[in-house]
Coordinates of all heavy atoms in Angstrom, one line a residue:
P1 N 9.0 18.0 11.7 CA 8.2 18.7 10.7 C 7.2 17.7 10.0 O 7.6 16.8 9.2 CB 9.3 19.1 9.7 CG 10.5 18.2 9.9 CD 10.4 17.8 11.4
V2 N 6.0 17.8 10.4 CA 5.0 16.7 10.1 C 4.8 16.6 8.6 O 4.7 15.4 8.1 CB 3.6 17.1 10.8 CG1 2.6 16.1 10.3 CG2 3.8 17.1 12.3
E3 N 4.8 17.7 7.9 CA 4.5 17.6 6.4 C 5.7 16.8 5.7 O 5.5 16.0 4.8 CB 4.3 19.0 5.8 CG 3.7 19.0 4.5 CD 2.4 18.2 4.5 OE1 1.5 18.4 5.4 OE2 2.1 17.4 3.5
D4 N 6.9 17.1 6.1 CA 8.1 16.4 5.6 C 8.0 14.9 5.9 O 8.3 14.1 5.0 CB 9.4 17.0 6.1 CG 9.6 18.5 5.6 OD1 8.9 18.9 4.7 OD2 10.5 19.1 6.2
T5 N 7.7 14.6 7.1 CA 7.6 13.2 7.5 C 6.5 12.5 6.7 O 6.6 11.3 6.3 CB 7.3 13.1 9.0 OG1 8.2 13.9 9.7 CG2 7.3 11.6 9.5
R6 N 5.3 13.2 6.5 CA 4.2 12.6 5.7 C 4.7 12.3 4.3 O 4.4 11.3 3.7 CB 3.1 13.6 5.7 CG 1.8 13.1 5.0 CD 0.7 14.1 5.0 NE -0.4 13.7 4.2 CZ -1.4 13.0 4.7 NH1 -1.3 12.5 5.9 NH2 -2.4 12.6 3.9
L7 N 5.4 13.3 3.7 CA 5.9 13.1 2.3 C 6.8 11.9 2.2 O 6.7 11.1 1.2 CB 6.6 14.4 1.8 CG 5.7 15.6 1.6 CD1 6.5 16.8 1.2 CD2 4.6 15.3 0.5
L8 N 7.7 11.8 3.2 CA 8.7 10.7 3.2 C 7.9 9.4 3.3 O 8.2 8.4 2.5 CB 9.6 10.8 4.3 CG 10.6 9.7 4.5 CD1 11.6 9.6 3.3 CD2 11.5 9.9 5.8
A9 N 6.9 9.3 4.2 CA 6.2 8.0 4.4 C 5.4 7.6 3.2 O 5.4 6.5 2.8 CB 5.2 8.2 5.6
L10 N 4.8 8.6 2.5 CA 4.0 8.3 1.3 C 4.9 7.9 0.2 O 4.6 6.9 -0.6 CB 3.3 9.6 0.9 CG 2.0 10.0 1.7 CD1 1.6 11.4 1.4 CD2 0.9 9.0 1.5
G11 N 6.1 8.5 0.0 CA 7.1 8.1 -1.0 C 7.6 6.7 -0.8 O 7.6 5.9 -1.8
V12 N 7.9 6.3 0.5 CA 8.3 5.0 0.7 C 7.2 3.9 0.5 O 7.5 2.9 -0.1 CB 8.8 4.8 2.2 CG1 9.0 3.4 2.6 CG2 10.0 5.7 2.4
L13 N 6.0 4.3 0.8 CA 4.8 3.4 0.6 C 4.7 3.1 -0.9 O 4.5 2.0 -1.4 CB 3.6 4.0 1.1 CG 3.2 3.7 2.6 CD1 2.1 4.6 3.0 CD2 2.9 2.3 2.8
I14 N 4.8 4.2 -1.7 CA 4.6 4.0 -3.2 C 5.7 3.1 -3.8 O 5.5 2.2 -4.6 CB 4.6 5.4 -3.9 CG1 3.4 6.2 -3.5 CG2 4.7 5.3 -5.4 CD1 3.4 7.6 -3.9
V15 N 7.0 3.3 -3.3 CA 8.1 2.5 -3.8 C 7.9 1.1 -3.5 O 8.1 0.2 -4.3 CB 9.4 3.1 -3.3 CG1 10.6 2.1 -3.6 CG2 9.7 4.4 -3.9
L16 N 7.5 0.8 -2.2 CA 7.4 -0.6 -1.8 C 6.2 -1.3 -2.5 O 6.3 -2.4 -2.9 CB 7.1 -0.6 -0.2 CG 8.4 -0.3 0.6 CD1 8.0 -0.3 2.1 CD2 9.5 -1.3 0.4
A17 N 5.1 -0.5 -2.7 CA 3.9 -1.1 -3.4 C 4.3 -1.4 -4.8 O 3.8 -2.4 -5.4 CB 2.8 -0.1 -3.3
L18 N 5.1 -0.5 -5.5 CA 5.5 -0.8 -6.8 C 6.4 -2.0 -6.9 O 6.2 -2.8 -7.9 CB 6.2 0.5 -7.4 CG 5.4 1.7 -7.8 CD1 6.3 2.9 -8.1 CD2 4.5 1.4 -9.0
L19 N 7.2 -2.2 -5.9 CA 8.1 -3.4 -5.9 C 7.3 -4.7 -5.8 O 7.5 -5.7 -6.4 CB 9.1 -3.3 -4.8 CG 10.2 -2.3 -4.9 CD1 11.1 -2.2 -3.7 CD2 11.1 -2.7 -6.1
L20 N 6.2 -4.6 -4.9 CA 5.3 -5.7 -4.7 C 4.5 -6.0 -6.0 O 4.3 -7.2 -6.4 CB 4.4 -5.5 -3.5 CG 5.0 -5.6 -2.2 CD1 4.0 -5.2 -1.1 CD2 5.6 -7.0 -1.9
L21 N 4.1 -4.9 -6.7 CA 3.4 -5.1 -7.9 C 4.2 -5.7 -9.0 O 3.7 -6.5 -9.8 CB 2.9 -3.7 -8.4 CG 1.7 -3.7 -9.4 CD1 0.5 -4.4 -8.9 CD2 1.4 -2.2 -9.8
A22 N 5.5 -5.4 -8.9 CA 6.5 -6.0 -9.9 C 6.9 -7.4 -9.4 O 7.8 -8.0 -10.0 CB 7.7 -5.1 -10.0
R23 N 6.3 -7.9 -8.3 CA 6.6 -9.3 -7.8 C 8.0 -9.4 -7.3 O 8.6 -10.5 -7.4 CB 6.3 -10.3 -8.8 CG 4.8 -10.3 -9.2 CD 4.4 -11.5 -10.1 NE 3.0 -11.5 -10.5 CZ 2.4 -12.4 -11.2 NH1 3.1 -13.4 -11.7 NH2 1.1 -12.3 -11.5
V24 N 8.6 -8.3 -6.8 CA 9.9 -8.4 -6.1 C 9.6 -8.9 -4.7 O 8.9 -8.2 -3.9 CB 10.6 -7.0 -6.1 CG1 11.9 -7.1 -5.3 CG2 10.8 -6.6 -7.5

């Protein structure tokens, strides 16, 4: 299900980017 996969990928990207922004 492409849309579900896209949502999951975007969610993971946001979490990882926030962690990097927080200098984790």
Side-chain angles (χ1 to χ4, degrees):
V2 175
E3 199 53 45
D4 292 347
T5 308
R6 181 182 177 85
L7 292 175
L8 176 63
L10 286 167
V12 171
L13 274 170
I14 291 171
V15 170
L16 289 176
L18 285 170
L19 288 173
L20 287 174
L21 197 58
R23 298 186 178 181
V24 175

